[in-house]
Amino acid sequence: MVKFLISRPIAVVMVFIAAVVLGVVAYRTLPVSLMPDIPIPVVTVNAVYKNSSARELESAVVKPLRAQLMQVAHLSDIKSETRDGQAVINLKFDYGTNVDYAFIEVNEKIDRAMNSLPRDMERPRVIKASATDIPVFYLNLTLRESDSLRRDNSDEANDRFIQLSEFAESVIRKRIEQLPEVALVDISGTVSPQLTIEPDIRKMQSLDISLSQLESALTQNNVNAGNLVVRDGHYQYNIRFTSVLRNKEDVSNIYLKSAGKIFQLKDIAAVNIEPQKRTGMFAANGKPAITMAVIKQANARLADMKDQIGGMIGQFEKDYPGIHFEASQDQTQLLDYSISNLMQNLSQGLLLVIIVVFVFMKDLKLPLLIGLSLLVSVIISLLFFRMMHLSINIISLAGLILAVGNMMDNSIVVTDNISQYRERNYTVDEACIAGTGEVIVPQLSSMLVNIAVFLPLIFLSGIAGALMYDEAISVSIGLAVSYLVGITFMPVIYRLAYRKVFKAENRLQHVKEKMFDVLGQGFKRIFDLDKIYTAGLDFTFRCKKLNLFLYLMILPIGIAALFLIHKEKMPAFTQTEVIIKIDWNENINAGENKLRILKLLKTLQSETVQSNAFIGRQQFLLDREQEMDPSEARLYIKSDSPEKIEMINSKVKKFTSVNFPKAMVGFEPPTSIFEKLFTSSEPPL
């Protein structure tokens, strides 16, 4: 086979050029994400029925829905939570269930239950969860006029924040969700308005108007008369009559009649729009804010999504100067770190290969050939990624990084073996054929042994097994491609590089050999490796019992180290962020919780670059964090150095112990995507 390839070098090079071009095209179309697209068997149903109490919603909506959804196949758990105006039903399925089929079946059950639901209610929304439902980042919206939360109790501040909530829901959220790379925008921190009527009892008594008359006037003016069809010859007109109360002015202008006189509601009562009672809120850098968790489509490229949303945020800043937009808790840093780690490994490995080959093989061309083969191997591996429907993510990149070392080893072994045959006065063609043919079988066995180490990872169960599938496949692809490149492409480019040796090259070779001889003699005077190795070997054979005893002593030391070594779920790295969980351990409301959090954040101002405060119960639809009560809070603090994080932790402990000794405080690094996914209670096999 090698002889056939050597005889047609141009054809082989053209084939590999075509493969590299296809690999580049595949790279540009490969999805780039934090994690592989792993369907988590969870489906969420969101039912919204405005102006209904939690008890009414539970009996009229959730109960019939739950009765239908309990008939869905492979359902392992169902949990519902009902609030005023909204209910969320979470359905968990056995792992391995086809989530697409479960999603379809859940929609069918909801369609069947629609006849028993209120007529004026919108169809419940069904959301399919996956690993990529972990937010890529959070987008925070704050009003520029609002300089601190201390002002948010004023009527003007309340009105502005209610308008911001409506604007975020109806405009910003929908515009972001229109991007093809975005699957869902989950929102929290919004405020819903409520209309309050405070009657003036003295005026009502003087005008002889009772509360029942007031209620009757509200009821009579809040009716929908329906549609009326009017025909005029060949034309038909649809006319809709409505007197539904829609805003503050509609209610204020309601007419009442008493003692032969007509009054308006605003004459006898104060009509105001106020925020509804809140059990939770969100604050960004000490200001009342709305946060949006941006969730990526499974098949979207992360870089494209960041560019699109970055451009959209810039446009928002121009279009809406009264609103400040800020991104926080960016999970893409993990992917950026992995990609930079891969590039660093490639560059460092290539540099070391060039130095080693240049020093030991005394040749300038070989390092360039090995670097070229490494680049070709990586690009062709990406082509197979596309064929195997893999994405570029942290797991697959980790597998590719593991395979990079073997890629360089294969090329070095082939070129070194060919060079040895050339030193025996073989021609270039003969050396390429003999040198490559000699290592085909050993390298094949080495590749299969390495693949056999990683391939069993695909048999791991649960979500962890699904994640490790990408690593096992990417390592196998990298090893197999590097082997094929080493025995096909490497000898061909070696033959093309060394097929002609001119006199000038011979003179250059003579100069190089003299230079390396001088360097080698100098190195030998300082480090005589042969002498050191011979002395060490003689000592080993002279003291066999001592050496055997030393090696046997290593075994119990290694076993003891296995039990003593520190164990953790994920490797530790330098943190400039911290999550602080606070439970005040008192029966307080969200308002009091907010005041305490503001007081705490003020003491941390000098060490804080960015802060997010999740106070009380949040409104996220896909909230994977532990549910919080109104007396609990979760703070995200970002600093500019790890040392300041230690200062922040000590300040928080001191603040709570002095001012609120009953409070319970916990510190942890921001939960990464790994920690959220590697929490399976299933057995590893």
Side-chain angles (χ1 to χ4, degrees), residues 558-606:
I559 295 173
L562 176 64
F563 291 98
L564 296 176
I565 195 170
H566 179 66
K567 301 175 182 65
E568 56 187 3
K569 185 165 57 177
M570 296 299 298
F573 54 93
T574 304
Q575 289 281 357
T576 58
E577 303 166 307
V578 65
I579 296 292
I580 305 173
K581 294 185 176 180
I582 301 177
D583 185 353
W584 299 111
N585 206 17
E586 297 179 39
N587 189 18
I588 61 174
N589 57 26
E592 175 63 23
N593 190 354
K594 176 197 67 179
L595 295 176
R596 295 184 181 186
I597 292 297
L598 288 179
K599 190 176 179 181
L600 172 60
L601 290 176
K602 189 177 292 185
T603 64
L604 307 176
Q605 251 179 349
S606 58

Side-chain angles (χ1 to χ4, degrees), residues 348-420:
Q348 291 177 353
L350 190 57
L351 179 62
L352 290 174
V353 166
I354 290 173
I355 295 173
V356 170
V357 174
F358 180 73
V359 170
F360 288 94
M361 292 188 176
K362 304 176 183 180
D363 200 317
L364 296 174
K365 290 183 180 179
L366 288 181
L368 300 178
L369 297 181
I370 292 170
L372 179 61
S373 68
L374 176 63
L375 184 63
V376 169
S377 298
V378 171
I379 295 176
I380 295 178
S381 296
L382 296 177
L383 173 60
F384 282 94
F385 272 35
R386 186 72 178 85
M387 295 170 63
M388 295 292 294
H389 303 289
L390 297 181
S391 64
I392 297 177
N393 54 72
I394 293 176
I395 302 298
S396 61
L397 283 180
L400 195 57
I401 290 172
L402 289 173
V404 163
N406 202 75
M407 292 178 183
M408 291 185 288
D409 289 344
N410 289 338
S411 300
I412 292 173
V413 168
V414 171
T415 54
D416 182 56
N417 213 39
I418 294 174
S419 299
Q420 289 185 18

Side-chain angles (χ1 to χ4, degrees), residues 329-345:
Q329 302 188 52
D330 190 354
Q331 291 284 334
T332 60
Q333 294 176 357
L334 285 173
L335 183 64
D336 295 338
Y337 176 78
S338 295
I339 293 176
S340 63
N341 191 23
L342 174 62
M343 299 305 297
Q344 186 179 357
N345 275 269

Side-chain angles (χ1 to χ4, degrees), residues 404-461:
V404 163
N406 202 75
M407 292 178 183
M408 291 185 288
D409 289 344
N410 289 338
S411 300
I412 292 173
V413 168
V414 171
T415 54
D416 182 56
N417 213 39
I418 294 174
S419 299
Q420 289 185 18
Y421 274 97
R422 285 190 66 203
E423 291 175 359
R424 301 173 193 171
N425 296 323
Y426 278 62
T427 65
V428 175
D429 288 3
E430 292 172 347
C432 290
I433 294 170
T436 307
E438 194 174 48
V439 298
I440 287 178
V441 175
Q443 283 193 338
L444 177 63
S445 61
S446 174
M447 179 198 69
L448 294 177
V449 168
N450 289 330
I451 289 178
V453 173
F454 291 96
L455 207 57
L457 292 176
I458 65 176
F459 298 108
L460 288 173
S461 64

